[in-house]
Amino acid sequence: GRMHFLLDRGTNDGVEVGQAVVAANGVFVGKILTARERVSVLEVFTDPEARTIVARAKGGRVMGVVEGRGNGAAILTYIPPSEALEKDDLIITAGTEEKVPPQLAFGLVNQVNGKSTDPFLTAAIEPLLDLERLSFVSILRPRQ
């Protein structure tokens, strides 16, 4: 269930571990897991080891952590029940991670799970594109 891609850019090109990677349309797909001189490895956010801090696009407060589940699936965890999260709400990167810019489109809420009395809710996240078929991606480097 690991979701890794080998990229043909590396530390020689300024690539660093933790940098955000987006698809051609600017949609967040994951982060740099390892980097060598000429190559690096992209860990897609659906990878079981992947964790990403996200927010809801409307409202923009930090919502929770997306955990990869493998097989193209991901779960948004630690959602406060006070957040009225709904199906098809757009989820974006929160920008609280050092090398991940805020407000990158991430995915849509598919289904919210839990009761209003639970300490936290979870939600299934639908990726905005087919993560199995990525062909061209961009690595976001911080402005110097």
Side-chain angles (χ1 to χ4, degrees), residues 1-127:
R2 302 310 305 269
M3 278 291 290
H4 291 169
F5 287 94
L6 192 65
L7 307 181
D8 61 353
R9 295 284 183 272
T11 54
N12 286 357
D13 307 293
V15 175
E16 297 174 20
V17 170
Q19 285 172 338
V21 178
V22 297
N25 52 3
V27 172
F28 178 89
V29 293
K31 291 183 277 203
I32 297 296
L33 182 66
T34 58
R36 291 163 62 179
E37 285 185 6
R38 289 186 173 80
V39 294
S40 54
V41 173
L42 158 64
E43 179 183 63
V44 177
F45 74 80
T46 55
D47 184 279
E49 301 285 308
R51 301 287 180 271
T52 316
I53 303 172
V54 298
R56 181 175 50 190
K58 60 168 195 262
R61 287 202 302 272
V62 174
M63 289 283 304
V65 178
V66 170
E67 300 181 0
R69 287 287 191 260
N71 300 325
I75 301 287
L76 175 53
T77 59
Y78 301 113
I79 307 165
S82 57
E83 298 284 342
L85 200 61
E86 295 171 356
K87 183 171 163 56
D88 294 332
D89 274 352
L90 177 65
I91 299 299
I92 57 176
T93 55
T96 56
E97 295 175 81
E98 186 190 351
K99 296 173 187 170
V100 179
Q103 297 178 351
L104 299 175
F106 191 101
L108 297 175
V109 172
N110 192 347
Q111 180 182 344
V112 182
N113 303 304
K115 314 184 292 294
S116 57
T117 52
D118 293 343
F120 293 107
L121 308 178
T122 63
I125 299 298
E126 189 79 32

